[in-house]
Amino acid sequence: MEDGTIRFALALERTTRIKRGTVSLHAYAAAMADLTNEILAAAKLRASDIDGWIGTSTESRDQAEEARLTSLLGLVAPPDRCLALPHPGHHLAHACAAFYTSGLDEAVALVMDSYGSKVNGGRERETAFTFRAGAKPETLYRVIRDSDRVAGFARDGHVWTPPDLSGVGEIYRVVTLALGFREAGTTYDDAGKTMGLASYGKRLSSDNLFYELAADGQLRFDRAADSLVNLGVAVRDGSELRLVPRPPRAPFEQFHFDLAAQLQEEFEEAVLHVTRHVLALSGSRSLVLSGGSFLNSILNTRILRETEIDRLFVFPAATDDGNAPGAALYAYHELAGWPVEVAPALRHVYLGPPRVTGVDLAAVAQQWGLEFRKHPGSGEIAASAAAAIARGEIIGWFQDRAEFGPRALGARSILCHPGIPGMKDRLNARVKFREKFRPFAGAVLAERADKWFDMPAAESPFMLMVCPAIEEQRGLVSEIVHVDGTCRLQTVAEDVPGPFRALIEAFEAETGLPLVLNTSFNLRGMPIVERPEEAMDCLYGSRLDRLFIGDIEVFPPDLTRLRPERVHAVKDSVGLPAARDLKAKTILPEWQRLLDLADGTRTMRDIAGELGEDVDELVDLTLDLRRHGVVRWAGVSQATPPEFPWPQYTPDSTAD
């Protein structure tokens, strides 16, 4: 941060290539140090150039531990330059991230997430602060959970939770886990899937099952555990609840849709209840939001429409990644004694290190054995990309500095036509490898948005609102309209840097549509691509039709001529493709039959001929196996994640 403005920011998952940055505990300090060095190098700074260092964590128990965080994170910072948030700091960092980037002179900051800092044996649950430029933030409303336990943890192959569930975010997390939505190998919940699934269902009960609204903005959760048990998604086991989630790959039943709908509707009403209370306490009509609960874009739209506010700002990196800039903003405004003034509102989040500037992209493409075409400027690359989308192609779009936060906003995006029927299903199945029910967002020219969508505000630059599509326009953009007639929306203004807006303008000139389908540039279970080689890898790992990166256009390989090579034996088939009906009669699942022939010498065409199968179907299967790390393409480069040292003196060196 410089002069109160965020200059560079990056999430740990982008450098470790592990979703959510979940490296082993012994490697965490090293991973954080590597990440910090990436940021310093991008800013052309050395550690000695930094005036102040600050860290934040949910696990600090007191002020002394807050003060030690930079050393615990593996950051070599001079003690006299280390600063500390006042304990508890987690929700304060969330709030500072939202207020000090909002451009507002005063506001209420509301924070809701699964859990915050430890406080006297408990944890922060929901917190609100009042902010005014030039004054210290003051706590307006705070609820502390009685225990510092975390709900939803893995043990003995099961997911467990305590029965005394409490908190807006915690309940949403636990039901999400019960629906079977979690990151592979972790208990990180994938709450966005629950929000998308809810539109397909109706409430199971007119009575609330999880949240109860009480006086003074309070919430009660007395029925939550019993409801989980009665619904059959949890059982009591001693003093804990053992979740009984939907198994991987199991089909969705109406019950799952209805459970998601019940949760989503109760969740929205609970948050609105607390929001109205804190606004009444403060008398303010300006609201800023952060914490994972506010990535729920349906909720944000309801807050804007249904509360007495004039101004709303949601910090785009609302989850815990955003607490790093939040802590730094607090340090700048409240600890360092530097000039305090109202900073301009955050207009974009292209804050990652430069990945195109100074890089010989042609050489990278050649290293990957890929053909390419160089374009003379950003206008030409945007026009060529728009023409490809207009032809019905699905493209990767990679520009210099990545977005900070979980949304792809035109720097690391997969883009396609929003109105060609079947495009959404093709994208989910053959590029993203996602569940069929999941919707996609639209990126629209800001000045055209209200002609296509019922907008509660003039802009939605960070894709944090869901808006109904205007009925007479829905058929023209069917692939971004969800089953309930809405669309998660990004508005693209004239002042957004980079060529993304030029692409949409060129697409409008070709088709008359001022918007494109926009989703994150990653495959299921993987972080968004960060470096050019990871984007190239996606051409070998999916059915992307082509890649636009910097000023070059990269063409995909002929996947049918590649030679699959088995990497290792399959010890656990969970998550691998299920067997389908095949022409060749065998009791083995089709992926096992393919693996028997994947010796690195046969092409996909050869294998298809031996098995008597359709080559394109076998390619799709192989791509899925490659995504799981079971096979690779012989003789082809592969993006490899960084390695971290194994712990010393551990009897089992493979232990997590």
Side-chain angles (χ1 to χ4, degrees):
M1 181 171 300
E2 182 180 13
D3 297 331
T5 301
I6 305 166
R7 301 297 186 195
F8 291 88
L10 192 67
L12 185 63
E13 69 174 15
R14 302 296 181 91
T15 53
T16 62
R17 304 310 302 160
I18 300 172
K19 198 78 178 283
R20 307 283 187 105
T22 53
V23 298
S24 298
L25 186 60
H26 74 272
Y28 187 71
M32 288 298 299
D34 285 351
L35 174 63
T36 304
N37 288 332
E38 285 244 21
I39 293 295
L40 290 172
K44 296 182 170 56
L45 297 170
R46 296 169 304 207
S48 59
D49 296 322
I50 301 300
D51 296 314
W53 299 75
I54 191 166
T56 179
S57 168
T58 58
E59 303 311 297
S60 302
R61 291 170 292 188
D62 53 36
Q63 194 61 50
E65 290 193 355
E66 292 279 356
R68 292 181 55 217
L69 278 174
T70 52
S71 61
L72 294 173
L73 293 173
L75 309 182
V76 183
D80 61 337
R81 298 187 187 184
C82 290
L83 304 167
L85 287 166
H87 182 79
H90 185 75
H91 279 191
L92 179 61
H94 271 309
C96 290
F99 178 72
Y100 292 124
T101 58
S102 68
L104 302 178
D105 56 351
E106 64 83 22
V108 173
L110 181 59
V111 179
M112 292 187 178
D113 54 12
S114 293
Y115 54 90
S117 290
K118 294 180 177 179
V119 184
N120 298 326
R123 281 192 188 271
E124 295 175 300
R125 210 184 72 188
E126 294 98 29
T127 313
F129 302 87
T130 54
F131 280 84
R132 191 173 299 276
K136 286 188 175 297
E138 296 182 0
T139 304
L140 175 70
Y141 172 93
R142 172 174 280 155
V143 180
I144 303 295
R145 181 180 292 119
D146 292 338
S147 170
D148 67 0
R149 86 291 182 280
V150 175
F153 55 91
R155 189 180 69 230
D156 304 326
H158 298 287
V159 179
W160 301 81
T161 188
D164 58 330
L165 295 170
S166 67
V168 168
E170 180 169 278
I171 298 292
Y172 206 97
R173 164 178 162 76
V174 169
V175 179
T176 292
L177 293 172
L179 285 166
F181 297 143
R182 63 181 174 123
E183 302 289 357
T186 76
T187 54
Y188 276 101
D189 60 281
D190 203 339
K193 294 183 182 180
T194 302
M195 183 180 71
L197 194 69
S199 298
Y200 289 86
K202 296 182 179 180
R203 291 180 66 122
L204 293 163
S205 169
S206 58
D207 295 330
N208 278 16
L209 302 180
F210 305 109
Y211 303 93
E212 298 175 59
L213 312 186
D216 297 328
Q218 298 297 310
L219 301 169
R220 295 179 61 86
F221 311 92
D222 300 339
R223 300 182 60 190
D226 286 342
S227 294
L228 291 172
V229 172
N230 293 337
L231 291 169
V233 295
V235 295
R236 296 190 182 276
D237 193 328
S239 61
E240 297 174 317
L241 294 181
R242 176 168 51 84
L243 296 185
V244 186
R246 180 186 60 85
R249 300 198 313 268
F252 291 97
E253 300 173 2
Q254 190 61 44
F255 167 75
H256 300 117
F257 302 142
D258 294 345
L259 176 57
Q262 180 86 29
L263 174 70
Q264 176 69 26
E265 188 171 326
E266 288 191 39
F267 166 77
E268 293 170 21
E269 292 298 335
V271 178
L272 282 165
H273 178 67
V274 177
T275 302
R276 293 184 180 109
H277 177 69
V278 299
L279 287 170
L281 285 178
S282 70
S284 177
R285 296 178 66 91
S286 300
L287 181 65
V288 299
L289 305 171
S290 191
S293 293
F294 297 111
L295 286 181
N296 194 299
S297 42
I298 297 173
L299 166 68
N300 297 337
T301 306
R302 285 196 66 185
I303 290 174
L304 194 55
R305 291 188 191 276
E306 299 179 30
T307 62
E308 298 295 324
I309 57 173
D310 298 323
R311 303 180 295 183
L312 175 70
F313 178 78
V314 185
F315 186 63
T319 51
D320 289 356
D321 296 339
N323 279 26
L329 283 159
Y330 181 88
Y332 181 86
H333 286 272
E334 307 300 338
L335 300 178
W338 289 312
V340 175
E341 55 188 47
V342 178
L346 191 67
R347 295 293 297 164
H348 71 85
V349 286
Y350 303 138
L351 298 170
R355 302 298 190 188
V356 168
T357 301
V359 176
D360 187 344
L361 295 172
V364 177
Q366 288 171 339
Q367 178 188 344
W368 281 77
L370 294 168
E371 297 182 3
F372 63 92
R373 179 169 63 204
K374 190 175 178 64
H375 291 271
S378 61
E380 289 78 3
I381 196 85
S384 184
I389 296 170
R391 292 193 299 269
E393 295 188 7
I394 300 173
I395 71 165
W397 177 256
F398 184 113
Q399 296 305 313
D400 200 15
R401 299 183 63 183
E403 307 91 337
F404 183 56
R407 306 292 192 222
L409 301 171
R412 301 289 189 277
S413 290
I414 291 174
L415 307 172
C416 64
H417 199 298
I420 296 177
M423 186 64 73
K424 176 175 74 73
D425 291 340
R426 177 181 154 207
L427 179 55
N428 266 330
R430 308 189 77 187
V431 177
K432 298 281 284 185
F433 302 102
R434 304 193 322 174
E435 299 92 341
K436 187 176 181 179
F437 73 85
R438 295 177 65 183
F440 290 105
V444 59
L445 299 177
E447 67 275 19
R448 307 272 200 276
D450 62 353
K451 303 296 190 297
W452 292 81
F453 303 96
D454 179 8
M455 301 284 293
E459 291 186 305
S460 175
F462 303 123
M463 209 183 280
L464 288 168
M465 287 198 309
V466 166
C467 306
I470 292 175
E471 191 164 357
E472 53 267 31
Q473 306 280 41
R474 290 179 187 177
L476 298 174
V477 291
S478 59
E479 304 308 284
I480 58 172
V481 178
H482 199 26
V483 65
D484 60 359
T486 66
C487 175
R488 181 155 53 87
L489 199 61
Q490 173 198 3
T491 56
V492 184
E494 291 183 354
D495 62 348
V496 172
F500 186 47
R501 181 179 165 94
L503 182 155
I504 302 174
E505 290 173 335
F507 183 73
E508 183 183 30
E510 289 241 9
T511 66
L513 301 175
L515 69 169
V516 294
L517 185 156
N518 180 13
T519 188
S520 56
F521 196 164
N522 67 313
L523 309 185
R524 181 179 178 183
M526 300 179 184
I528 296 174
V529 298
E530 175 60 27
R531 296 178 173 84
E533 55 266 31
E534 293 149 14
M536 306 282 180
D537 191 67
C538 283
L539 284 176
Y540 285 97
S542 73
R543 292 287 195 167
L544 276 178
D545 291 306
R546 66 189 66 212
L547 167 67
F548 294 86
I549 178 168
D551 61 356
I552 70 169
E553 178 179 354
V554 186
F555 305 104
D558 182 350
L559 297 174
T560 68
R561 297 189 180 279
L562 297 181
R563 295 173 286 117
E565 181 178 30
R566 186 172 184 159
V567 176
H568 57 71
V570 179
K571 296 180 180 179
D572 181 3
S573 63
V574 173
L576 292 182
R580 290 176 288 182
D581 291 333
L582 300 173
K583 298 173 187 174
K585 301 301 181 183
T586 176
I587 61 172
L588 294 176
E590 61 181 284
W591 52 262
Q592 184 64 62
R593 298 171 58 230
L594 187 150
L595 290 180
D596 290 342
L597 299 177
D599 59 4
T601 65
R602 297 174 173 89
T603 68
M604 292 304 305
R605 289 179 182 272
D606 295 334
I607 294 174
E610 290 192 40
L611 293 178
E613 299 292 345
D614 180 81
V615 66
D616 285 327
E617 285 192 13
L618 283 183
V619 165
D620 288 343
L621 174 62
T622 306
L623 292 174
D624 213 0
L625 292 170
R626 183 180 187 270
R627 182 174 64 89
H628 283 90
V630 177
V631 300
R632 63 189 172 199
W633 298 121
V636 172
S637 296
Q638 189 162 331
T640 55
E643 294 182 357
F644 297 101
W646 290 108
Q648 288 181 305
Y649 313 121
T650 301
D652 179 6
S653 64
T654 64
D656 183 5

